[in-house]
Amino acid sequence: MHTFARLMQAYADRYQLNDQEGSSKTPVPGVHFYRASRSNGRQPLLYQSGIIFMGQGHKKIYLGNQKHCYGAGDYLVLGVPLPLECQAMTENEKPLLGMTVDVDPQVLNALVNQLPATLSQSAAERNNLDAGLTSQQMPGEMMDACIRLFTVLQNETEAKILGPSIVKEIIYRILISDHGHILFDLARHDGHYARVARILTKLHQSYADNITVESLADEAHMSVSAFHRAFRQVTLETPLQYLKKVRLGKAKDMILFEGKRVNEVANLVGYSSPSQFSREFKRHFNATPKDLAQTP
Protein backbone atom coordinates (compact mmCIF):
# COMPACT_ATOMS: atom_id res chain seq x y z
CA MET A 1 0.00 0.00 0.00
CA HIS A 2 1.36 3.42 -0.96
CA THR A 3 2.17 5.88 1.84
CA PHE A 4 -0.72 8.15 0.81
CA ALA A 5 -3.25 5.29 0.91
CA ARG A 6 -1.80 4.02 4.20
CA LEU A 7 -2.25 7.47 5.79
CA MET A 8 -5.80 7.67 4.45
CA GLN A 9 -6.58 4.31 6.03
CA ALA A 10 -4.96 5.47 9.28
CA TYR A 11 -7.24 8.53 9.17
CA ALA A 12 -10.29 6.27 8.71
CA ASP A 13 -9.14 4.16 11.67
CA ARG A 14 -8.44 7.26 13.81
CA TYR A 15 -11.92 8.73 13.28
CA GLN A 16 -13.84 5.41 13.07
CA LEU A 17 -14.83 5.90 9.42
CA ASN A 18 -14.41 2.33 8.20
CA ASP A 19 -18.17 2.00 7.67
CA GLN A 20 -18.47 5.32 5.84
CA GLU A 21 -19.96 5.30 2.33
CA GLY A 22 -19.38 8.64 0.67
CA SER A 23 -17.80 11.91 1.75
CA SER A 24 -17.27 13.56 5.13
CA LYS A 25 -15.64 16.75 6.40
CA THR A 26 -12.18 16.71 7.95
CA PRO A 27 -10.80 19.07 10.63
CA VAL A 28 -9.28 21.17 7.81
CA PRO A 29 -11.86 23.55 6.25
CA GLY A 30 -12.61 22.71 2.63
CA VAL A 31 -11.02 19.25 2.79
CA HIS A 32 -13.23 16.16 2.59
CA PHE A 33 -12.40 12.47 2.99
CA TYR A 34 -14.07 9.98 0.66
CA ARG A 35 -14.53 6.26 1.18
CA ALA A 36 -16.55 3.61 -0.64
CA SER A 37 -16.38 -0.09 0.10
CA ARG A 38 -17.90 -1.36 -3.16
CA SER A 39 -17.50 -0.87 -6.88
CA ASN A 40 -20.41 0.61 -8.78
CA GLY A 41 -21.46 0.64 -12.41
CA ARG A 42 -21.67 3.71 -14.60
CA GLN A 43 -24.23 6.11 -13.15
CA PRO A 44 -25.07 9.84 -13.31
CA LEU A 45 -23.52 11.98 -10.56
CA LEU A 46 -23.08 15.67 -9.84
CA TYR A 47 -19.41 16.44 -9.23
CA GLN A 48 -18.73 19.66 -7.35
CA SER A 49 -15.85 21.91 -8.35
CA GLY A 50 -12.51 21.39 -6.63
CA ILE A 51 -9.48 19.09 -6.67
CA ILE A 52 -9.97 15.34 -6.24
CA PHE A 53 -7.11 13.07 -5.16
CA MET A 54 -7.29 9.28 -5.35
CA GLY A 55 -5.39 7.24 -2.80
CA GLN A 56 -6.83 3.80 -3.52
CA GLY A 57 -9.03 2.26 -6.22
CA HIS A 58 -9.84 3.95 -9.51
CA LYS A 59 -12.67 5.62 -11.40
CA LYS A 60 -13.80 6.29 -14.93
CA ILE A 61 -15.79 9.44 -15.53
CA TYR A 62 -17.64 10.42 -18.67
CA LEU A 63 -18.47 13.95 -19.81
CA GLY A 64 -20.20 13.98 -23.16
CA ASN A 65 -17.97 11.87 -25.40
CA GLN A 66 -14.91 12.45 -23.19
CA LYS A 67 -13.65 9.71 -20.86
CA HIS A 68 -11.18 10.31 -18.03
CA CYS A 69 -9.62 7.51 -15.98
CA TYR A 70 -7.91 8.21 -12.70
CA GLY A 71 -6.64 6.01 -9.91
CA ALA A 72 -4.25 5.81 -6.99
CA GLY A 73 -1.74 8.65 -7.19
CA ASP A 74 -3.80 10.67 -9.69
CA TYR A 75 -5.68 13.91 -9.21
CA LEU A 76 -8.56 15.58 -11.01
CA VAL A 77 -9.21 19.32 -11.31
CA LEU A 78 -12.76 20.55 -11.81
CA GLY A 79 -13.08 24.29 -12.29
CA VAL A 80 -16.88 24.15 -12.24
CA PRO A 81 -19.52 21.71 -10.93
CA LEU A 82 -20.35 19.21 -13.66
CA PRO A 83 -23.02 16.53 -14.17
CA LEU A 84 -20.98 13.44 -15.07
CA GLU A 85 -21.37 9.70 -15.31
CA CYS A 86 -19.02 7.77 -13.05
CA GLN A 87 -17.90 4.17 -12.73
CA ALA A 88 -15.95 3.28 -9.58
CA MET A 89 -13.80 0.18 -9.09
CA THR A 90 -12.22 -1.19 -5.94
CA GLU A 91 -9.04 -3.26 -6.15
CA ASN A 92 -8.04 -6.36 -4.17
CA GLU A 93 -11.18 -6.02 -2.01
CA LYS A 94 -9.87 -2.75 -0.55
CA PRO A 95 -12.15 0.31 -0.36
CA LEU A 96 -11.87 3.35 -2.59
CA LEU A 97 -10.13 6.14 -0.70
CA GLY A 98 -9.95 9.75 -1.83
CA MET A 99 -9.78 13.37 -0.81
CA THR A 100 -11.39 16.50 -2.24
CA VAL A 101 -10.07 20.01 -1.71
CA ASP A 102 -12.29 23.04 -2.28
CA VAL A 103 -10.66 26.03 -3.94
CA ASP A 104 -11.38 29.06 -1.77
CA PRO A 105 -11.74 32.13 -4.05
CA GLN A 106 -9.85 34.40 -1.63
CA VAL A 107 -6.91 32.00 -1.40
CA LEU A 108 -6.92 31.55 -5.18
CA ASN A 109 -6.98 35.28 -5.90
CA ALA A 110 -4.21 35.98 -3.38
CA LEU A 111 -1.99 33.33 -4.99
CA VAL A 112 -2.68 34.52 -8.54
CA ASN A 113 -1.79 38.09 -7.53
CA GLN A 114 1.58 36.89 -6.22
CA LEU A 115 2.50 34.87 -9.31
CA PRO A 116 4.44 36.37 -12.24
CA ALA A 117 2.27 37.95 -14.93
CA THR A 118 4.02 35.76 -17.50
CA LEU A 119 2.60 32.62 -15.85
CA SER A 120 -0.94 34.03 -16.01
CA GLN A 121 -0.44 34.99 -19.66
CA SER A 122 0.86 31.53 -20.50
CA ALA A 123 -2.22 29.99 -18.85
CA ALA A 124 -4.49 32.30 -20.84
CA GLU A 125 -2.85 31.17 -24.10
CA ARG A 126 -3.46 27.50 -23.23
CA ASN A 127 -7.14 28.02 -22.52
CA ASN A 128 -9.74 27.54 -25.22
CA LEU A 129 -12.77 27.47 -22.93
CA ASP A 130 -12.65 23.67 -22.90
CA ALA A 131 -14.76 21.79 -20.36
CA GLY A 132 -13.49 22.46 -16.86
CA LEU A 133 -12.11 19.01 -16.23
CA THR A 134 -8.66 17.47 -16.40
CA SER A 135 -6.80 14.63 -14.68
CA GLN A 136 -3.15 13.63 -14.35
CA GLN A 137 -0.67 11.82 -12.12
CA MET A 138 0.54 13.66 -9.05
CA PRO A 139 4.12 14.92 -9.39
CA GLY A 140 6.45 14.39 -6.44
CA GLU A 141 5.86 17.82 -4.85
CA MET A 142 2.07 17.38 -5.01
CA MET A 143 2.22 13.89 -3.54
CA ASP A 144 4.49 15.18 -0.77
CA ALA A 145 1.96 17.91 0.11
CA CYS A 146 -0.91 15.40 0.20
CA ILE A 147 1.10 13.06 2.43
CA ARG A 148 1.87 15.93 4.80
CA LEU A 149 -1.80 16.92 4.84
CA PHE A 150 -2.94 13.45 5.88
CA THR A 151 -0.12 13.27 8.38
CA VAL A 152 -1.35 16.39 10.20
CA LEU A 153 -4.95 15.15 9.88
CA GLN A 154 -4.08 12.43 12.39
CA ASN A 155 -4.01 15.18 15.05
CA GLU A 156 -6.88 17.69 15.22
CA THR A 157 -4.75 20.48 16.67
CA GLU A 158 -2.06 20.09 14.02
CA ALA A 159 -4.75 19.82 11.34
CA LYS A 160 -6.34 23.13 12.33
CA ILE A 161 -3.01 24.96 12.66
CA LEU A 162 -0.99 23.49 9.79
CA GLY A 163 -3.66 22.15 7.43
CA PRO A 164 -4.73 25.45 5.77
CA SER A 165 -1.17 26.28 4.74
CA ILE A 166 -0.76 22.85 3.13
CA VAL A 167 -4.05 23.35 1.25
CA LYS A 168 -2.71 26.70 0.03
CA GLU A 169 0.43 24.94 -1.21
CA ILE A 170 -1.68 22.36 -3.06
CA ILE A 171 -3.63 25.09 -4.87
CA TYR A 172 -0.34 26.83 -5.72
CA ARG A 173 1.06 23.63 -7.21
CA ILE A 174 -2.06 23.24 -9.37
CA LEU A 175 -1.65 26.83 -10.59
CA ILE A 176 1.94 26.29 -11.74
CA SER A 177 1.14 22.93 -13.38
CA ASP A 178 0.32 22.32 -17.04
CA HIS A 179 -3.38 22.48 -16.15
CA GLY A 180 -3.21 25.64 -14.06
CA HIS A 181 -5.25 27.53 -16.64
CA ILE A 182 -8.46 26.11 -15.15
CA LEU A 183 -7.83 27.90 -11.84
CA PHE A 184 -6.38 30.99 -13.51
CA ASP A 185 -9.58 31.30 -15.55
CA LEU A 186 -11.68 31.20 -12.38
CA ALA A 187 -9.65 34.10 -10.99
CA ARG A 188 -10.04 36.10 -14.22
CA HIS A 189 -13.41 37.53 -13.15
CA ASP A 190 -14.35 39.23 -16.42
CA GLY A 191 -13.50 36.25 -18.60
CA HIS A 192 -16.19 34.05 -20.10
CA TYR A 193 -15.09 31.00 -18.09
CA ALA A 194 -15.46 32.83 -14.76
CA ARG A 195 -18.82 34.26 -15.83
CA VAL A 196 -20.12 30.80 -16.68
CA ALA A 197 -18.74 29.50 -13.37
CA ARG A 198 -20.74 32.14 -11.46
CA ILE A 199 -23.89 31.17 -13.35
CA LEU A 200 -23.32 27.51 -12.47
CA THR A 201 -23.08 28.47 -8.82
CA LYS A 202 -26.42 30.25 -9.16
CA LEU A 203 -28.02 27.20 -10.81
CA HIS A 204 -26.90 24.98 -7.93
CA GLN A 205 -28.33 27.42 -5.39
CA SER A 206 -31.56 28.44 -7.17
CA TYR A 207 -32.39 25.31 -9.18
CA ALA A 208 -36.07 25.36 -8.13
CA ASP A 209 -36.67 28.87 -9.50
CA ASN A 210 -38.26 29.64 -12.86
CA ILE A 211 -35.05 30.15 -14.84
CA THR A 212 -34.66 31.19 -18.47
CA VAL A 213 -31.58 31.27 -20.68
CA GLU A 214 -32.28 34.95 -21.33
CA SER A 215 -32.15 35.80 -17.63
CA LEU A 216 -28.91 33.83 -17.18
CA ALA A 217 -27.28 35.55 -20.15
CA ASP A 218 -28.33 38.93 -18.80
CA GLU A 219 -26.84 38.10 -15.40
CA ALA A 220 -23.59 37.02 -17.09
CA HIS A 221 -23.56 40.32 -19.05
CA MET A 222 -23.43 38.42 -22.33
CA SER A 223 -25.65 38.14 -25.38
CA VAL A 224 -27.83 35.02 -25.46
CA SER A 225 -25.85 33.52 -28.36
CA ALA A 226 -22.44 34.24 -26.76
CA PHE A 227 -23.61 32.90 -23.38
CA HIS A 228 -25.07 29.75 -24.93
CA ARG A 229 -21.83 29.10 -26.83
CA ALA A 230 -19.59 29.71 -23.79
CA PHE A 231 -21.82 27.60 -21.54
CA ARG A 232 -21.64 24.64 -23.92
CA GLN A 233 -17.87 24.96 -24.25
CA VAL A 234 -17.42 24.83 -20.47
CA THR A 235 -19.99 22.13 -19.60
CA LEU A 236 -20.71 20.33 -22.92
CA GLU A 237 -24.39 20.92 -22.07
CA THR A 238 -26.97 23.55 -22.92
CA PRO A 239 -28.04 25.68 -19.91
CA LEU A 240 -31.44 23.98 -19.71
CA GLN A 241 -29.96 20.48 -20.03
CA TYR A 242 -27.55 21.31 -17.24
CA LEU A 243 -30.33 22.71 -15.05
CA LYS A 244 -32.41 19.56 -15.57
CA LYS A 245 -29.52 17.35 -14.44
CA VAL A 246 -28.95 19.51 -11.36
CA ARG A 247 -32.66 19.28 -10.47
CA LEU A 248 -32.75 15.51 -10.92
CA GLY A 249 -29.55 15.06 -8.90
CA LYS A 250 -30.95 17.15 -6.04
CA ALA A 251 -34.21 15.18 -6.23
CA LYS A 252 -32.38 11.87 -5.95
CA ASP A 253 -30.57 13.09 -2.82
CA MET A 254 -33.85 14.26 -1.26
CA ILE A 255 -35.46 10.86 -1.87
CA LEU A 256 -32.48 8.78 -0.73
CA PHE A 257 -31.18 10.81 2.19
CA GLU A 258 -34.16 12.87 3.38
CA GLY A 259 -36.97 10.35 2.75
CA LYS A 260 -39.18 12.90 0.99
CA ARG A 261 -42.22 11.84 -1.06
CA VAL A 262 -42.02 11.89 -4.86
CA ASN A 263 -44.69 14.56 -5.45
CA GLU A 264 -43.13 16.79 -2.81
CA VAL A 265 -39.68 16.39 -4.33
CA ALA A 266 -40.94 17.25 -7.81
CA ASN A 267 -42.21 20.58 -6.53
CA LEU A 268 -39.12 21.27 -4.41
CA VAL A 269 -36.77 20.97 -7.39
CA GLY A 270 -38.88 23.12 -9.71
CA TYR A 271 -41.23 20.76 -11.58
CA SER A 272 -44.86 21.82 -11.88
CA SER A 273 -45.81 18.41 -13.29
CA PRO A 274 -45.05 15.32 -11.14
CA SER A 275 -45.60 13.04 -14.15
CA GLN A 276 -43.04 14.96 -16.23
CA PHE A 277 -40.64 14.78 -13.28
CA SER A 278 -41.07 10.99 -13.03
CA ARG A 279 -40.53 10.50 -16.77
CA GLU A 280 -37.35 12.57 -16.84
CA PHE A 281 -36.08 10.98 -13.61
CA LYS A 282 -36.50 7.46 -15.06
CA ARG A 283 -34.83 8.47 -18.33
CA HIS A 284 -31.85 9.92 -16.44
CA PHE A 285 -31.35 7.31 -13.69
CA ASN A 286 -32.93 4.26 -15.37
CA ALA A 287 -35.16 3.87 -12.32
CA THR A 288 -38.37 5.57 -11.21
CA PRO A 289 -38.41 7.84 -8.14
CA LYS A 290 -40.68 5.30 -6.42
CA ASP A 291 -38.23 2.48 -7.14
CA LEU A 292 -35.49 4.56 -5.54
CA ALA A 293 -37.65 5.39 -2.52
CA GLN A 294 -38.25 1.68 -1.92
CA THR A 295 -34.58 0.73 -2.12
CA PRO A 296 -33.39 -0.50 1.31
Side-chain angles (χ1 to χ4, degrees):
M1 182 183 288
H2 191 278
T3 302
F4 187 35
R6 190 177 72 249
L7 286 167
M8 283 185 157
Q9 183 57 57
Y11 175 83
D13 295 339
R14 165 76 172 78
Y15 291 100
Q16 299 181 335
L17 299 174
N18 286 310
D19 292 326
Q20 173 179 300
E21 298 292 337
S23 183
S24 62
K25 294 180 180 179
T26 72
V28 179
V31 177
H32 293 75
F33 171 71
Y34 174 83
R35 182 190 181 280
S37 58
R38 295 180 297 276
S39 301
N40 65 258
R42 183 170 170 173
Q43 58 181 295
L45 289 174
L46 278 170
Y47 266 46
Q48 297 304 312
S49 59
I51 310 161
I52 303 172
F53 298 90
M54 285 295 290
Q56 191 164 273
H58 64 279
K59 292 186 175 185
K60 294 179 182 178
I61 53 174
Y62 304 83
L63 176 64
N65 58 4
Q66 297 180 16
K67 180 173 80 169
H68 295 266
C69 301
Y70 65 106
D74 294 337
Y75 73 99
L76 185 74
V77 181
L78 288 96
V80 297
L82 292 171
L84 308 168
E85 293 188 346
C86 175
Q87 180 182 3
M89 289 139 291
T90 60
E91 296 173 343
N92 302 320
E93 299 184 350
K94 295 179 180 179
L96 283 96
L97 299 175
M99 169 181 73
T100 61
V101 175
D102 297 337
V103 179
D104 181 273
Q106 290 183 324
V107 173
L108 175 61
N109 291 333
L111 285 170
V112 167
N113 289 336
Q114 294 176 70
L115 289 169
T118 52
L119 192 61
S120 177
Q121 181 60 36
S122 175
E125 291 170 357
R126 284 200 303 273
N127 177 44
N128 60 357
L129 262 189
D130 54 354
L133 173 68
T134 185
S135 62
Q136 69 177 64
Q137 189 171 25
M138 279 189 268
E141 298 88 348
M142 182 79 76
M143 177 64 79
D144 177 64
C146 289
I147 287 172
R148 281 186 281 113
L149 181 56
F150 263 85
T151 299
V152 302
L153 276 171
Q154 311 299 325
N155 180 296
E156 286 194 38
T157 302
E158 288 195 358
K160 291 174 182 175
I161 294 172
L162 302 176
S165 62
I166 302 175
V167 168
K168 184 177 179 180
E169 177 187 345
I170 288 171
I171 296 170
Y172 162 76
R173 297 206 174 278
I174 299 290
L175 279 166
I176 63 172
S177 74
D178 290 340
H179 300 289
H181 68 272
I182 291 178
L183 297 188
F184 271 109
D185 292 337
L186 286 176
R188 201 171 285 117
H189 301 294
D190 291 331
H192 284 186
Y193 189 93
R195 293 186 192 189
V196 171
R198 288 195 293 272
I199 294 300
L200 295 180
T201 298
K202 174 188 173 65
L203 291 180
H204 280 261
Q205 293 172 344
S206 308
Y207 54 85
D209 294 351
N210 184 19
I211 294 172
T212 66
V213 176
E214 291 77 12
S215 67
L216 295 176
D218 185 60
E219 190 165 335
H221 304 294
M222 300 168 71
S223 69
V224 171
S225 59
F227 172 72
H228 205 276
R229 184 168 57 252
F231 194 98
R232 280 198 69 117
Q233 285 178 301
V234 172
T235 68
L236 301 187
E237 304 270 7
T238 69
L240 295 183
Q241 286 172 334
Y242 185 99
L243 175 61
K244 179 170 73 173
K245 290 184 176 182
V246 170
R247 285 173 168 171
L248 294 174
K250 300 289 186 182
K252 181 181 179 182
D253 288 346
M254 289 180 186
I255 293 169
L256 279 177
F257 304 121
E258 299 177 32
K260 294 188 181 296
R261 297 190 302 273
V262 174
N263 285 0
E264 180 187 9
V265 166
N267 182 64
L268 286 172
V269 299
Y271 280 85
S272 56
S273 166
S275 59
Q276 180 190 1
F277 165 71
S278 293
R279 284 195 305 273
E280 293 188 355
F281 190 99
K282 183 177 181 180
R283 192 178 303 123
H284 188 55
F285 291 112
N286 200 30
T288 68
K290 289 184 179 178
D291 288 340
L292 203 66
Q294 294 166 1
T295 301

